[in-house]
Amino acid sequence: MVTQEQRKRQLAREKFLRQQQRRTDARRKARMRNSVIASVLGVVVIGSVALYTTGALKDDDKTNASSETTPSAAPTSKAPDPCEKAAAGKVKTATWKKEPAVTIDKSAKYTMKLATTCGEIDIAMKTSAAPHTVNSFSFLAGKGYFDHTKCHRLTTSGIYVLQCGDPTGSGSGGPGYTIPDENLKDKSLKDNIYPAGTVAMANTGQAHTGGSQFFLVYQDSQLPPSYTPFGTISEAGMKVMKKIAGAGESTGAGDGAPNATVVINKATVTKS
């Protein structure tokens, strides 16, 4: 028979376990928000700059920025791949020692087109607000740097983004140089929300560590204003994004490789 004292100890133990669980859940949710794009870059190495970890990974999980999963997320059945077969071609792995000189016309309008296996995604670039970023993308696209690369990360819980731009597909690749943060006070960023349709740079969680990795926001996402917003996805492009997001990600936990085979067959930046 359980004594009154034993019952008190049992209740106290259960209360303690509930408190510990709440703390654990809170930490996981915080990591998820912060890690949005972070895992992708986890480490910035000049030469193979991993430029994609959105400040999120600044937490304790630096090896897997994708740890922004919610503890209650349960695995789901894999949806069918809605995308086409990738075009033939090889990924280029060239790197450069320093950021290319800014040669774009800062007063002109530039558009980046991502011809992907899932459809075309057109992006109106914010040239005057983010000239270094737009110039870098113009340079890299001109070198065929993004061609045949996979978008390696889809986050469907906490934040809602597709991450691309790493030729290695590992989340740690980059062009060998970094570019400065820009446009962090963009009027579109209100209440620490990156609105749906935003295209922004990934980084390591430190200032001025952007490289080639970027993320496309398909649903409003709460993030600190630490990731250069440099473009806006067209309406048609957002339909493509919804198709990709609808297929889910591979882990069932809210952060992993997209189930859709998202390959950038060709990336071009044009002046209009």
Side-chain angles (χ1 to χ4, degrees), residues 75-143:
T76 56
S77 57
K78 185 174 180 179
D81 189 341
C83 302
E84 303 295 329
K85 183 179 179 180
K90 293 183 178 180
V91 175
K92 296 183 179 181
T93 56
T95 58
W96 296 265
K97 292 183 178 180
K98 61 181 181 178
E99 175 191 359
V102 177
T103 59
I104 60 168
D105 180 351
K106 297 179 184 179
S107 63
K109 293 182 179 180
Y110 286 80
T111 301
M112 180 162 67
K113 176 175 288 188
L114 303 178
T116 80
T117 49
C118 307
E120 288 193 352
I121 301 174
D122 291 322
I123 300 165
M125 306 182 86
K126 301 185 177 186
T127 313
S128 60
H132 286 268
T133 307
V134 174
N135 184 76
S136 178
F137 273 83
S138 179
F139 170 79
L140 293 173
K143 297 293 185 180

Side-chain angles (χ1 to χ4, degrees), residues 27-246:
R27 282 196 297 269
R28 287 179 180 174
K29 289 178 181 178
R31 275 202 305 271
M32 177 183 339
R33 282 193 301 271
N34 285 316
S35 133
V36 48
I37 318 171
S39 77
V40 337
L41 310 213
V43 201
V44 172
V45 181
I46 290 292
S48 69
V49 174
L51 60 238
Y52 169 177
T53 106
T54 77
L57 283 236
K58 288 191 217 182
D59 265 81
D60 31 285
D61 193 350
K62 291 184 180 154
T63 58
N64 183 10
S66 66
S67 70
E68 39 180 298
T69 69
T70 55
S72 59
T76 56
S77 57
K78 185 174 180 179
D81 189 341
C83 302
E84 303 295 329
K85 183 179 179 180
K90 293 183 178 180
V91 175
K92 296 183 179 181
T93 56
T95 58
W96 296 265
K97 292 183 178 180
K98 61 181 181 178
E99 175 191 359
V102 177
T103 59
I104 60 168
D105 180 351
K106 297 179 184 179
S107 63
K109 293 182 179 180
Y110 286 80
T111 301
M112 180 162 67
K113 176 175 288 188
L114 303 178
T116 80
T117 49
C118 307
E120 288 193 352
I121 301 174
D122 291 322
I123 300 165
M125 306 182 86
K126 301 185 177 186
T127 313
S128 60
H132 286 268
T133 307
V134 174
N135 184 76
S136 178
F137 273 83
S138 179
F139 170 79
L140 293 173
K143 297 293 185 180
Y145 183 85
F146 299 110
D147 299 352
H148 311 296
T149 61
K150 280 188 176 183
C151 292
H152 60 279
R153 184 182 184 195
L154 179 71
T155 305
T156 62
S157 180
I159 58 172
Y160 308 92
V161 304
L162 175 70
Q163 192 169 318
C164 312
D166 177 5
T168 72
S170 67
S172 62
Y177 63 82
T178 58
I179 55 178
D181 296 332
E182 300 177 293
N183 198 31
L184 298 183
K185 294 184 179 180
D186 190 289
K187 62 182 180 181
S188 70
L189 306 182
K190 297 179 180 178
D191 301 321
N192 288 350
I193 296 293
Y194 278 64
T198 300
V199 183
M201 290 300 297
N203 59 43
T204 63
Q206 302 298 315
H208 314 306
T209 56
S212 61
Q213 294 189 48
F214 60 98
F215 60 98
L216 303 98
V217 183
Y218 62 88
Q219 184 176 318
D220 289 1
S221 297
Q222 186 166 22
L223 288 165
S226 304
Y227 313 103
T228 298
F230 68 92
T232 303
I233 304 170
S234 67
E235 184 176 349
M238 285 300 292
K239 291 181 180 179
V240 175
M241 291 297 301
K242 292 293 185 181
K243 177 170 68 175
I244 294 168

